[in-house]
Amino acid sequence: MALFPLLLLILMVPASSDAQWPPSPGYWPGSRFRSMSFYQGYRNLWGYSHQRVDQNALTIWLDSTSGSGFKSVKPFRSGYFGASIKLQPGYTAGVITAFYLSNSEAHPGYHDEVDIEFLGTTFGKPYTLQTNVYIRGSGDGRIIGREMKFHLWFDPTKTFHYYAILWSPKEIIFLVDDVPIRRYPRKSSTTFPLRPMWVYGSIWDASSWATEDGKYKADYRYQPFVASYTNFKASGCSAYSPAWCHPVSASPFRSGGLTRQQYRSMRWVQRHHMVYDYCKDYKRDHSLTPECWG
């Protein structure tokens, strides 16, 4: 009779922890590209005193005097761009840690941008990873965000995890540890960034909107707010590459797209960990985002 309670206990315990993690994508595009040191591909852009390079790792921080940012040496017209990032635990409300593509300096007031942003949080709540795409917008009220937000299936403050953007003339794919979490296909030239962009990273105070729409602000009693980057990758067609340079792919298919297994992983992430999709926000004016129509 003692075996029955033991059998019941075994049945109640999950057989594995796989349900907490995405199914394997079966393909890891990051393995195709060589890592570089920070100075091989990037330079400080602002907040030099709030930036430190130790071996191949970059640390940037925000305090009440300044944040910090960096920028790739050259612009690209397509490519695979990634870095391993570790975030600060605890109270980080109002603080944005970012890794993104942009041409805002080349086209001020009318720029393109592809974002991975970590929105800071309060004690006991997870970071929000925000992906976003801007096309020929600006910060003056004409900008149209295309946000999809996620709560990750791990704690991004415990160790480094890998975050990447693949941008080709056909699609943009956002990846976490080489698991695709979002695919933004090109449906028209008016809803897709096609002009060359640089790669950026930064940490800054966005208290007006970052955490629960600005409800919680940066609290400098907890400064400095620190982010670490390493394992930099930036491979593809630079703006100076010949016309025959072929865009990279996130899948084994030279033509781009994702495999069936990669789609399965992406659907799992979106089903279990996506917390906001702009296309499903019925308060938005979707005449401005025709890619949501079908």
Side-chain angles (χ1 to χ4, degrees):
M1 293 295 291
L3 290 175
F4 179 74
L6 179 61
L7 179 61
L8 184 62
L9 181 62
I10 291 171
L11 290 174
M12 290 173 64
V13 175
S16 74
S17 60
D18 289 346
Q20 306 301 317
W21 291 79
S24 169
Y27 184 77
W28 292 267
S31 64
R32 298 172 51 204
F33 307 109
R34 183 177 300 175
S35 297
M36 66 176 74
S37 68
F38 175 74
Y39 286 119
Q40 284 179 299
Y42 296 90
R43 296 292 184 269
N44 172 264
L45 181 63
W46 61 282
Y48 184 80
S49 63
H50 288 59
Q51 186 174 120
R52 182 180 69 251
V53 177
D54 183 16
Q55 295 181 344
N56 290 330
L58 170 74
T59 301
I60 58 177
W61 61 91
L62 166 72
D63 61 25
S64 59
T65 65
S66 180
S68 188
F70 59 91
K71 178 184 177 182
S72 63
V73 173
K74 59 186 177 182
F76 294 83
R77 63 173 188 261
S78 66
Y80 177 94
F81 314 100
S84 295
I85 303 172
K86 185 180 178 184
L87 304 175
Q88 177 161 312
Y91 188 98
T92 55
V95 179
I96 296 288
T97 303
F99 184 78
Y100 62 104
L101 313 178
S102 179
N103 50 31
S104 60
E105 292 176 278
H107 305 284
Y110 199 59
H111 77 285
D112 308 303
E113 190 167 312
V114 180
D115 294 332
I116 291 177
E117 296 174 307
F118 300 93
L119 311 186
T121 189
T122 57
F123 292 114
K125 292 185 179 181
Y127 272 90
T128 298
L129 186 154
Q130 175 171 277
T131 64
N132 208 349
V133 179
Y134 296 130
I135 297 94
R136 289 180 290 281
S138 71
D140 61 7
R142 296 199 308 271
I143 199 159
I144 300 167
R146 293 167 168 84
E147 303 93 342
M148 287 179 66
K149 302 179 184 181
F150 302 83
H151 287 164
L152 296 165
W153 51 96
F154 54 81
D155 183 347
T157 72
K158 295 291 187 184
T159 189
F160 284 92
H161 286 268
Y162 192 72
Y163 307 90
I165 299 167
L166 184 135
W167 170 44
S168 80
K170 293 182 177 180
E171 62 192 353
I172 298 166
I173 298 172
F174 299 87
L175 304 106
V176 175
D177 290 335
D178 265 345
V179 174
I181 63 169
R182 176 184 183 182
R183 178 175 181 264
Y184 182 86
R186 176 181 175 180
K187 294 188 176 181
S188 75
S189 59
T190 61
T191 61
F192 197 86
L194 295 169
R195 299 176 295 179
M197 293 190 279
W198 285 257
V199 191
Y200 293 82
S202 62
I203 189 167
W204 55 289
D205 186 333
S207 289
S208 63
W209 64 270
T211 306
E212 298 186 32
D213 295 323
K215 179 180 179 181
Y216 298 100
K217 314 294 186 184
D219 187 338
Y220 289 99
R221 291 178 299 173
Y222 302 106
Q223 69 177 12
F225 303 103
V226 179
S228 298
Y229 296 70
T230 189
N231 192 24
F232 292 95
K233 296 183 181 183
S235 297
C237 299
S238 80
Y240 317 120
S241 297
W244 48 258
C245 181
H246 195 278
V248 299
S249 172
S251 73
F253 309 134
R254 182 174 167 83
S255 59
L258 297 171
T259 67
R260 183 178 300 178
Q261 197 167 346
Q262 285 177 308
Y263 270 117
R264 179 169 169 254
S265 295
M266 184 172 69
R267 285 193 295 267
W268 185 95
V269 171
Q270 293 182 357
R271 184 166 61 249
H272 293 284
H273 292 277
M274 186 170 66
V275 296
Y276 178 82
D277 180 352
Y278 75 106
C279 282
K280 296 178 181 178
D281 185 345
Y282 300 109
K283 298 188 296 294
R284 298 279 297 265
D285 179 1
H286 289 299
S287 67
L288 303 175
T289 54
E291 69 276 6
C292 294
W293 299 349

